């Protein structure tokens, strides 16, 4: 079983679809809340908003006001570090779209 222990490190190198098959360790799930408080996340979040030109990918509204644009995880990360930190899994959404459509979608899926 020595191979299993190394899996989480190796997951980050795998394509999303493959990584999704392996469930993240549920006992460690709450740890991801802390990721949102890191300087790394603030940096990545800003990078996504700039990359998407502060334009909501769902409704197309351009929103420059602070706190009104959200760097949203396209595929819910559920504590999976590979998904959480993947730029390709992030999109800019306005608060309205994030709070309505996206939340409903998440609930329906899980
Ligand atoms: Zn929107």
């Amino acid at each position: 079983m020595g191979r299993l222990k190394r899996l989480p490190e190796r997951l980050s190198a795998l394509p999303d679809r493959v990584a999704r098959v392996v469930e993240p360790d549920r006992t460690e799930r709450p740890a991801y809340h802390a990721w949102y408080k890191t300087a790394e996340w603030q940096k990545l979040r800003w990078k996504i908003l700039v990359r998407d030109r502060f334009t909501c990918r769902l409704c197309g509204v351009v929103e420059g006001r602070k706190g009104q644009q959200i760097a949203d995880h396209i595929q819910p990360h559920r504590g999976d570090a590979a998904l959480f930190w993947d730029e390709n899994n992030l999109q800019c959404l306005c608060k309205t779209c994030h709070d309505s459509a996206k939340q409903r979608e998440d609930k329906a899926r899980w």
Side-chain angles (χ1 to χ4, degrees):
M1 295 305 270
R3 270 174 59 207
L4 266 181
K5 278 192 181 157
R6 296 181 51 91
L7 202 53
E9 310 166 23
R10 291 169 58 202
L11 268 182
S12 56
L14 293 173
D16 292 350
R17 238 172 300 155
V18 181
R20 222 169 98 194
V21 177
V22 184
E23 290 268 345
D25 184 346
R26 295 200 177 275
T27 60
E28 286 176 17
R29 240 177 79 181
Y32 75 78
H33 289 291
W35 297 345
Y36 284 107
K37 296 186 165 56
T38 61
E40 284 77 12
W41 168 250
Q42 292 306 320
K43 234 163 80 181
L44 179 60
R45 179 186 163 277
W46 186 249
K47 191 176 172 182
I48 298 308
L49 299 186
V50 170
R51 181 197 69 189
D52 289 358
R53 298 170 196 272
F54 297 89
T55 306
C56 173
R57 282 222 202 155
L58 284 185
C59 73
V61 77
V62 180
E63 179 62 83
R65 281 177 297 170
K66 201 170 186 241
Q68 297 302 302
Q69 288 294 44
I70 288 144
D72 173 66
H73 289 93
I74 298 165
Q75 185 186 318
H77 59 82
R78 309 275 152 193
D80 184 325
L83 285 175
F84 186 92
W85 298 106
D86 183 359
E87 282 178 36
N88 298 319
N89 191 39
L90 285 160
Q91 64 181 350
C92 178
L93 288 187
C94 73
K95 203 170 182 310
T96 309
C97 285
H98 180 266
D99 291 353
S100 55
K102 187 70 190 182
Q103 298 290 60
R104 268 203 305 276
E105 187 186 308
D106 281 0
K107 278 188 191 126
R109 211 180 307 171
W110 298 92

mmCIF file of all heavy atoms in Angstrom, residues 38-51 71 73 83-88 90:
data_model
loop_
_atom_site.group_PDB
_atom_site.id
_atom_site.type_symbol
_atom_site.label_atom_id
_atom_site.label_comp_id
_atom_site.label_asym_id
_atom_site.label_seq_id
_atom_site.Cartn_x
_atom_site.Cartn_y
_atom_site.Cartn_z
ATOM 1 N N THR A 38 -5.229 32.622 1.950
ATOM 2 C CA THR A 38 -3.800 32.752 1.667
ATOM 3 C C THR A 38 -3.520 33.847 0.641
ATOM 4 O O THR A 38 -4.383 34.197 -0.160
ATOM 5 C CB THR A 38 -3.231 31.428 1.100
ATOM 6 O OG1 THR A 38 -3.905 31.119 -0.132
ATOM 7 C CG2 THR A 38 -3.412 30.275 2.074
ATOM 8 N N ALA A 39 -2.320 34.365 0.710
ATOM 9 C CA ALA A 39 -1.872 35.368 -0.264
ATOM 10 C C ALA A 39 -1.846 34.749 -1.656
ATOM 11 O O ALA A 39 -2.116 35.426 -2.650
ATOM 12 C CB ALA A 39 -0.493 35.881 0.117
ATOM 13 N N GLU A 40 -1.547 33.474 -1.732
ATOM 14 C CA GLU A 40 -1.495 32.770 -3.019
ATOM 15 C C GLU A 40 -2.859 32.801 -3.690
ATOM 16 O O GLU A 40 -2.969 33.011 -4.892
ATOM 17 C CB GLU A 40 -1.052 31.310 -2.831
ATOM 18 C CG GLU A 40 0.421 31.122 -2.584
ATOM 19 C CD GLU A 40 0.839 31.465 -1.167
ATOM 20 O OE1 GLU A 40 -0.057 31.649 -0.290
ATOM 21 O OE2 GLU A 40 2.043 31.577 -0.906
ATOM 22 N N TRP A 41 -3.904 32.569 -2.889
ATOM 23 C CA TRP A 41 -5.252 32.592 -3.464
ATOM 24 C C TRP A 41 -5.610 34.008 -3.926
ATOM 25 O O TRP A 41 -6.170 34.194 -5.009
ATOM 26 C CB TRP A 41 -6.293 32.069 -2.460
ATOM 27 C CG TRP A 41 -7.686 32.366 -2.933
ATOM 28 C CD1 TRP A 41 -8.563 33.252 -2.395
ATOM 29 C CD2 TRP A 41 -8.356 31.814 -4.091
ATOM 30 N NE1 TRP A 41 -9.727 33.287 -3.137
ATOM 31 C CE2 TRP A 41 -9.632 32.420 -4.179
ATOM 32 C CE3 TRP A 41 -7.989 30.870 -5.056
ATOM 33 C CZ2 TRP A 41 -10.540 32.112 -5.197
ATOM 34 C CZ3 TRP A 41 -8.900 30.568 -6.070
ATOM 35 C CH2 TRP A 41 -10.158 31.177 -6.135
ATOM 36 N N GLN A 42 -5.295 35.010 -3.106
ATOM 37 C CA GLN A 42 -5.585 36.399 -3.492
ATOM 38 C C GLN A 42 -4.922 36.741 -4.816
ATOM 39 O O GLN A 42 -5.499 37.413 -5.663
ATOM 40 C CB GLN A 42 -5.102 37.369 -2.401
ATOM 41 C CG GLN A 42 -5.880 37.271 -1.095
ATOM 42 C CD GLN A 42 -7.387 37.430 -1.296
ATOM 43 O OE1 GLN A 42 -7.834 38.261 -2.087
ATOM 44 N NE2 GLN A 42 -8.171 36.624 -0.598
ATOM 45 N N LYS A 43 -3.712 36.249 -4.962
ATOM 46 C CA LYS A 43 -2.952 36.496 -6.184
ATOM 47 C C LYS A 43 -3.579 35.786 -7.387
ATOM 48 O O LYS A 43 -3.757 36.367 -8.455
ATOM 49 C CB LYS A 43 -1.508 35.987 -5.999
ATOM 50 C CG LYS A 43 -0.455 37.032 -6.284
ATOM 51 C CD LYS A 43 0.887 36.634 -5.708
ATOM 52 C CE LYS A 43 1.609 35.629 -6.580
ATOM 53 N NZ LYS A 43 2.901 35.231 -5.975
ATOM 54 N N LEU A 44 -3.922 34.524 -7.166
ATOM 55 C CA LEU A 44 -4.518 33.725 -8.248
ATOM 56 C C LEU A 44 -5.882 34.292 -8.636
ATOM 57 O O LEU A 44 -6.198 34.432 -9.821
ATOM 58 C CB LEU A 44 -4.657 32.264 -7.780
ATOM 59 C CG LEU A 44 -5.293 31.292 -8.783
ATOM 60 C CD1 LEU A 44 -4.490 31.200 -10.066
ATOM 61 C CD2 LEU A 44 -5.438 29.900 -8.166
ATOM 62 N N ARG A 45 -6.664 34.649 -7.645
ATOM 63 C CA ARG A 45 -7.996 35.210 -7.873
ATOM 64 C C ARG A 45 -7.888 36.475 -8.732
ATOM 65 O O ARG A 45 -8.625 36.639 -9.700
ATOM 66 C CB ARG A 45 -8.591 35.557 -6.501
ATOM 67 C CG ARG A 45 -9.947 36.160 -6.549
ATOM 68 C CD ARG A 45 -10.385 36.615 -5.158
ATOM 69 N NE ARG A 45 -11.500 37.545 -5.300
ATOM 70 C CZ ARG A 45 -11.366 38.840 -5.556
ATOM 71 N NH1 ARG A 45 -10.170 39.378 -5.625
ATOM 72 N NH2 ARG A 45 -12.429 39.605 -5.722
ATOM 73 N N TRP A 46 -6.970 37.340 -8.381
ATOM 74 C CA TRP A 46 -6.776 38.574 -9.121
ATOM 75 C C TRP A 46 -6.343 38.282 -10.551
ATOM 76 O O TRP A 46 -6.818 38.908 -11.503
ATOM 77 C CB TRP A 46 -5.747 39.455 -8.401
ATOM 78 C CG TRP A 46 -5.612 40.804 -9.035
ATOM 79 C CD1 TRP A 46 -4.531 41.272 -9.728
ATOM 80 C CD2 TRP A 46 -6.587 41.859 -9.046
ATOM 81 N NE1 TRP A 46 -4.780 42.549 -10.174
ATOM 82 C CE2 TRP A 46 -6.042 42.936 -9.778
ATOM 83 C CE3 TRP A 46 -7.880 41.980 -8.519
ATOM 84 C CZ2 TRP A 46 -6.737 44.124 -9.991
ATOM 85 C CZ3 TRP A 46 -8.576 43.172 -8.735
ATOM 86 C CH2 TRP A 46 -7.999 44.221 -9.460
ATOM 87 N N LYS A 47 -5.466 37.313 -10.675
ATOM 88 C CA LYS A 47 -4.973 36.925 -11.989
ATOM 89 C C LYS A 47 -6.123 36.473 -12.898
ATOM 90 O O LYS A 47 -6.179 36.818 -14.082
ATOM 91 C CB LYS A 47 -3.962 35.786 -11.811
ATOM 92 C CG LYS A 47 -3.167 35.461 -13.053
ATOM 93 C CD LYS A 47 -2.130 34.401 -12.729
ATOM 94 C CE LYS A 47 -1.461 33.931 -14.010
ATOM 95 N NZ LYS A 47 -0.472 32.864 -13.744
ATOM 96 N N ILE A 48 -7.058 35.726 -12.343
ATOM 97 C CA ILE A 48 -8.202 35.223 -13.113
ATOM 98 C C ILE A 48 -9.107 36.383 -13.533
ATOM 99 O O ILE A 48 -9.544 36.457 -14.689
ATOM 100 C CB ILE A 48 -9.019 34.202 -12.272
ATOM 101 C CG1 ILE A 48 -8.167 32.984 -11.912
ATOM 102 C CG2 ILE A 48 -10.297 33.779 -12.986
ATOM 103 C CD1 ILE A 48 -7.476 32.309 -13.065
ATOM 104 N N LEU A 49 -9.367 37.305 -12.595
ATOM 105 C CA LEU A 49 -10.241 38.440 -12.910
ATOM 106 C C LEU A 49 -9.633 39.304 -14.006
ATOM 107 O O LEU A 49 -10.332 39.744 -14.922
ATOM 108 C CB LEU A 49 -10.501 39.280 -11.644
ATOM 109 C CG LEU A 49 -11.210 38.555 -10.490
ATOM 110 C CD1 LEU A 49 -11.536 39.535 -9.366
ATOM 111 C CD2 LEU A 49 -12.463 37.843 -10.952
ATOM 112 N N VAL A 50 -8.333 39.520 -13.936
ATOM 113 C CA VAL A 50 -7.646 40.315 -14.959
ATOM 114 C C VAL A 50 -7.666 39.552 -16.288
ATOM 115 O O VAL A 50 -7.957 40.115 -17.337
ATOM 116 C CB VAL A 50 -6.198 40.634 -14.524
ATOM 117 C CG1 VAL A 50 -5.405 41.249 -15.672
ATOM 118 C CG2 VAL A 50 -6.211 41.588 -13.327
ATOM 119 N N ARG A 51 -7.350 38.252 -16.222
ATOM 120 C CA ARG A 51 -7.336 37.429 -17.434
ATOM 121 C C ARG A 51 -8.695 37.500 -18.146
ATOM 122 O O ARG A 51 -8.769 37.625 -19.364
ATOM 123 C CB ARG A 51 -7.038 35.970 -17.060
ATOM 124 C CG ARG A 51 -6.985 35.015 -18.260
ATOM 125 C CD ARG A 51 -7.096 33.557 -17.839
ATOM 126 N NE ARG A 51 -8.445 33.262 -17.330
ATOM 127 C CZ ARG A 51 -8.782 32.129 -16.743
ATOM 128 N NH1 ARG A 51 -7.873 31.201 -16.553
ATOM 129 N NH2 ARG A 51 -10.001 31.934 -16.306
ATOM 130 N N ALA A 71 -13.892 34.864 -8.581
ATOM 131 C CA ALA A 71 -13.142 33.822 -9.276
ATOM 132 C C ALA A 71 -13.780 32.497 -8.863
ATOM 133 O O ALA A 71 -13.629 32.046 -7.731
ATOM 134 C CB ALA A 71 -11.671 33.866 -8.885
ATOM 135 N N HIS A 73 -14.801 28.420 -9.242
ATOM 136 C CA HIS A 73 -14.308 27.121 -9.696
ATOM 137 C C HIS A 73 -15.336 26.491 -10.622
ATOM 138 O O HIS A 73 -16.476 26.243 -10.207
ATOM 139 C CB HIS A 73 -14.023 26.205 -8.501
ATOM 140 C CG HIS A 73 -12.813 26.635 -7.725
ATOM 141 N ND1 HIS A 73 -12.885 27.456 -6.632
ATOM 142 C CD2 HIS A 73 -11.496 26.381 -7.934
ATOM 143 C CE1 HIS A 73 -11.657 27.677 -6.184
ATOM 144 N NE2 HIS A 73 -10.788 27.047 -6.934
ATOM 145 N N LEU A 83 -7.659 20.795 -8.279
ATOM 146 C CA LEU A 83 -8.750 21.553 -8.900
ATOM 147 C C LEU A 83 -8.800 22.979 -8.374
ATOM 148 O O LEU A 83 -9.083 23.923 -9.104
ATOM 149 C CB LEU A 83 -10.096 20.865 -8.618
ATOM 150 C CG LEU A 83 -10.409 19.604 -9.393
ATOM 151 C CD1 LEU A 83 -11.725 19.001 -8.898
ATOM 152 C CD2 LEU A 83 -10.486 19.876 -10.879
ATOM 153 N N PHE A 84 -8.511 23.114 -7.086
ATOM 154 C CA PHE A 84 -8.594 24.439 -6.456
ATOM 155 C C PHE A 84 -7.611 25.418 -7.085
ATOM 156 O O PHE A 84 -7.952 26.564 -7.354
ATOM 157 C CB PHE A 84 -8.316 24.313 -4.954
ATOM 158 C CG PHE A 84 -8.526 25.604 -4.200
ATOM 159 C CD1 PHE A 84 -9.757 25.890 -3.629
ATOM 160 C CD2 PHE A 84 -7.495 26.525 -4.061
ATOM 161 C CE1 PHE A 84 -9.965 27.078 -2.939
ATOM 162 C CE2 PHE A 84 -7.700 27.720 -3.368
ATOM 163 C CZ PHE A 84 -8.929 27.995 -2.811
ATOM 164 N N TRP A 85 -6.387 24.970 -7.303
ATOM 165 C CA TRP A 85 -5.331 25.860 -7.772
ATOM 166 C C TRP A 85 -5.161 25.870 -9.286
ATOM 167 O O TRP A 85 -4.255 26.527 -9.800
ATOM 168 C CB TRP A 85 -3.995 25.484 -7.111
ATOM 169 C CG TRP A 85 -4.050 25.638 -5.622
ATOM 170 C CD1 TRP A 85 -4.117 24.632 -4.693
ATOM 171 C CD2 TRP A 85 -4.051 26.864 -4.865
ATOM 172 N NE1 TRP A 85 -4.162 25.166 -3.435
ATOM 173 C CE2 TRP A 85 -4.119 26.529 -3.506
ATOM 174 C CE3 TRP A 85 -4.010 28.230 -5.240
ATOM 175 C CZ2 TRP A 85 -4.145 27.504 -2.493
ATOM 176 C CZ3 TRP A 85 -4.034 29.186 -4.228
ATOM 177 C CH2 TRP A 85 -4.099 28.820 -2.878
ATOM 178 N N ASP A 86 -6.012 25.154 -10.008
ATOM 179 C CA ASP A 86 -5.872 25.076 -11.459
ATOM 180 C C ASP A 86 -6.504 26.303 -12.129
ATOM 181 O O ASP A 86 -7.720 26.488 -12.087
ATOM 182 C CB ASP A 86 -6.544 23.793 -11.962
ATOM 183 C CG ASP A 86 -6.357 23.608 -13.470
ATOM 184 O OD1 ASP A 86 -5.729 24.485 -14.108
ATOM 185 O OD2 ASP A 86 -6.838 22.598 -13.987
ATOM 186 N N GLU A 87 -5.683 27.119 -12.755
ATOM 187 C CA GLU A 87 -6.171 28.327 -13.449
ATOM 188 C C GLU A 87 -7.237 27.991 -14.478
ATOM 189 O O GLU A 87 -8.145 28.766 -14.734
ATOM 190 C CB GLU A 87 -5.021 29.017 -14.196
ATOM 191 C CG GLU A 87 -4.125 29.813 -13.309
ATOM 192 C CD GLU A 87 -2.980 30.420 -14.106
ATOM 193 O OE1 GLU A 87 -3.199 30.806 -15.263
ATOM 194 O OE2 GLU A 87 -1.872 30.490 -13.560
ATOM 195 N N ASN A 88 -7.079 26.838 -15.117
ATOM 196 C CA ASN A 88 -8.032 26.442 -16.155
ATOM 197 C C ASN A 88 -9.375 26.023 -15.572
ATOM 198 O O ASN A 88 -10.340 25.832 -16.299
ATOM 199 C CB ASN A 88 -7.451 25.300 -16.997
ATOM 200 C CG ASN A 88 -6.196 25.740 -17.718
ATOM 201 O OD1 ASN A 88 -6.129 26.850 -18.243
ATOM 202 N ND2 ASN A 88 -5.178 24.894 -17.713
ATOM 203 N N LEU A 90 -10.788 27.899 -13.295
ATOM 204 C CA LEU A 90 -11.329 29.120 -12.697
ATOM 205 C C LEU A 90 -11.899 30.042 -13.761
ATOM 206 O O LEU A 90 -11.379 30.122 -14.877
ATOM 207 C CB LEU A 90 -10.229 29.841 -11.914
ATOM 208 C CG LEU A 90 -9.880 29.200 -10.573
ATOM 209 C CD1 LEU A 90 -8.521 29.645 -10.098
ATOM 210 C CD2 LEU A 90 -10.928 29.531 -9.529
#
